[in-house]
Amino acid sequence: MIKVYNFSAGPAMLPGDVLEKIKKEFLNWKKIGLSITEISHRSDIFTKNTIIIEQDLRDLLNVPKDYHVLFCHGGARGQFSAVPMNLLTDFPKPDYINSGFWSYNAILEAQKYCKPNIINVQKLSSSKKKYVENMNNWKLSSFYTYVHYCPNETLEGLEIFEEPQIKNKVFVGDFSSTLFSRKIDIKKYGIIYACAQKNIGPAGITIVIVNKNLLNNKKKSIPSIFNYSLLAQTKSMFNTPTTFSWYAAGLVLKWMKKKGGISKLEELNKKKAKILYQYIDTTDFYKNSIKHSHRSRMNVIFHLKIKKLTDLFIKEAQKIGLWGLKGHSVVGGLRASIYNAMPLKGVETLIRFMRIFEKKFG
Ligand code: PMP
């Protein structure tokens, strides 16, 4: 069997150790003779595990005490609705930053509830490279409101490393494809959310980290499963949670701790991204069109100079075990998602393949 590296943007590669552990204990979790998939979420054994999972998450991200950690349904798109539904009473006209596909989709959803102030921040440099304007230049509205943005645009491979410093604004970040990949200062945000299927675990569970001060909303019209106050009160168990995904996320968090925590993972992520971009920059055969300052460490987007070779590239790569390199249909081209679970060796193997492909067809 060839070694397969999965470069898919999500559901993405999971750490091999985690998959092995799931396999080993799948039919007999904690030696109780039952599978994790058949245990009540209200049982002591499950709830105890969720407390450990929350603590591991808090340890890894250094989440302050005045923040709730919620384990929700509905993926990141669910949060595109949950955020305005929970915050709008206090912040009637929010600022929405448009930096690409996902932040724009969050805007489309918010428009169902309000008229957001839309701020376009994606720019093109004189050398035709995409970048995002510095936060200081974002034309935020002058009154107190929340600001929604997406620190890593998964489709375009555009990442905002700068963290919010602006006073009198509540920042809400869709961290779906970058949470746990680098250190962040939770205190700078009112809400951080992320779907699981990139750096956290199998699809299903959605993480929301929310400042307790934002939970004053008594509005009765918020659907219960998206109501942050209710979810906090019920310890994310208002209804049946996605138990398997929650459990598996817990194993991934333990794996991250074992790896040395976020700073170690960040170091490795920098290295993986650096060698891949460096290689792309050494040749005309491959092209990345993002300015260095905003190149995503998680989603490396590239195109072939000879576009018609794209399908062949994907096919040949798959033959030797390099999966999931097709770019999103909206932007086309190629995308190597190199989340935490992707080892350095996987990136090196991809580069080796790219070299060979270039020699053959360049
Ligand atoms: N935001 C970002 C940044 C994403 O990458 C994705 C998924 N690729 C989403 C939102 C949507 O996530 P979901 O499918 O879990 O709703």
Side-chain angles (χ1 to χ4, degrees):
M1 210 167 80
I2 52 163
K3 169 86 192 139
V4 173
Y5 293 107
N6 180 6
F7 292 90
S8 167
M13 182 169 183
L14 286 167
D17 293 355
V18 168
L19 291 174
E20 283 295 337
K21 190 157 171 63
I22 292 172
K23 181 179 160 194
K24 201 168 144 212
E25 61 189 22
F26 190 69
L27 298 182
N28 189 9
W29 187 52
K30 293 196 185 281
K31 302 202 168 52
I32 57 168
L34 293 174
S35 165
I36 179 69
T37 52
E38 28 178 28
I39 290 168
S40 164
H41 56 294
R42 306 210 183 277
S43 61
D44 274 358
I45 194 164
F46 188 85
T47 50
K48 267 189 199 142
N49 198 46
T50 62
I51 294 167
I52 296 169
I53 296 172
E54 178 174 337
Q55 193 54 53
D56 284 341
L57 187 149
R58 284 181 177 275
D59 295 345
L60 280 162
L61 293 178
N62 214 359
V63 179
K65 285 208 165 54
D66 56 338
Y67 284 75
H68 285 296
V69 177
L70 308 175
F71 297 87
C72 306
H73 291 274
R77 277 191 188 269
Q79 294 307 310
F80 291 175
S81 312
V83 166
M85 285 193 290
N86 279 274
L87 297 188
L88 278 181
T89 318
D90 293 336
F91 309 97
K93 194 171 165 49
D95 289 326
Y96 268 73
I97 304 301
N98 178 18
S99 57
F101 181 86
W102 284 112
S103 53
Y104 183 65
N105 272 273
I107 291 170
L108 294 181
E109 202 61 28
Q111 279 172 332
K112 294 178 182 169
Y113 308 96
C114 62
K115 277 198 170 156
N117 174 35
I118 302 167
I119 302 150
N120 298 313
V121 296
Q122 201 190 97
K123 301 276 158 192
L124 211 53
S125 72
S126 49
S127 54
K128 300 265 182 295
K129 297 274 187 195
K130 281 183 204 159
Y131 70 99
V132 174
E133 229 169 3
N134 287 342
M135 280 183 180
N136 273 341
N137 296 331
W138 290 0
K139 299 203 167 30
L140 302 177
S141 54
S142 53
F143 50 89
Y144 183 56
T145 187
Y146 80 82
V147 184
H148 181 279
Y149 84 113
C150 179
N152 186 53
E153 289 283 5
T154 323
L155 255 79
E156 291 88 349
L158 197 60
E159 187 154 1
I160 303 169
F161 295 98
E162 190 183 2
E163 288 205 279
Q165 306 285 354
I166 300 153
K167 288 208 173 88
N168 293 330
K169 297 279 172 192
V170 172
F171 273 79
V172 177
D174 171 5
F175 274 75
S176 290
S177 47
T178 180
L179 196 62
F180 296 105
S181 74
R182 56 178 160 98
K183 271 194 269 168
I184 53 168
D185 183 358
I186 304 284
K187 290 194 295 296
K188 303 234 157 83
Y189 304 88
I191 299 175
I192 280 175
Y193 64 87
C195 53
Q197 62 271 22
K198 290 141 194 319
N199 264 334
I200 302 169
I205 204 101
T206 310
I207 307 293
V208 176
I209 303 170
V210 52
N211 190 296
K212 291 180 180 172
N213 289 332
L214 294 172
L215 300 194
N216 306 322
N217 200 333
K218 301 271 185 298
K219 241 173 41 186
K220 292 217 167 57
S221 57
I222 307 172
S224 302
I225 63 156
F226 285 139
N227 185 324
Y228 294 149
S229 307
L230 192 58
L231 289 171
Q233 269 166 37
T234 55
K235 303 204 178 316
S236 306
M237 296 216 199
F238 170 73
N239 71 328
T240 314
T242 56
T243 49
F244 176 78
S245 180
W246 198 343
Y247 144 84
L251 298 182
V252 176
L253 296 173
K254 281 267 183 261
W255 173 86
M256 287 190 220
K257 276 186 145 177
K258 213 166 127 199
K259 285 275 156 191
I262 303 296
S263 43
K264 283 281 171 215
L265 290 165
E266 178 169 7
E267 230 174 82
L268 185 62
N269 287 331
K270 276 187 183 165
K271 198 165 170 185
K272 290 185 293 182
K274 189 174 168 193
I275 60 168
L276 186 48
Y277 284 118
Q278 252 173 9
Y279 172 63
I280 292 169
D281 288 344
T282 57
T283 148
D284 287 343
F285 189 72
Y286 302 103
K287 203 174 146 206
N288 167 275
S289 52
I290 307 291
K291 209 172 156 182
H292 279 61
S293 54
H294 289 88
R295 283 176 159 182
S296 169
R297 273 187 212 142
M298 295 288 99
N299 312 98
V300 178
I301 310 295
F302 56 101
H303 292 264
L304 291 170
K305 200 171 101 186
I306 312 165
K307 284 217 164 74
K308 62 175 191 231
L309 290 176
T310 307
D311 286 347
L312 184 66
F313 180 97
I314 294 162
K315 235 163 98 187
E316 294 284 305
Q318 202 162 307
K319 267 193 211 156
I320 62 146
L322 304 173
W323 270 77
L325 287 162
K326 193 174 189 319
H328 192 284
S329 52
V330 170
V331 287
L334 298 154
R335 169 171 58 180
S337 294
I338 49 175
Y339 299 118
N340 287 341
M342 176 60 67
L344 183 61
K345 202 146 175 250
V347 180
E348 288 166 350
T349 310
L350 172 63
I351 295 171
R352 214 172 308 125
F353 166 77
M354 288 166 74
R355 263 208 192 97
I356 294 168
F357 191 84
E358 178 180 358
K359 262 203 189 128
K360 240 173 154 177
F361 300 102

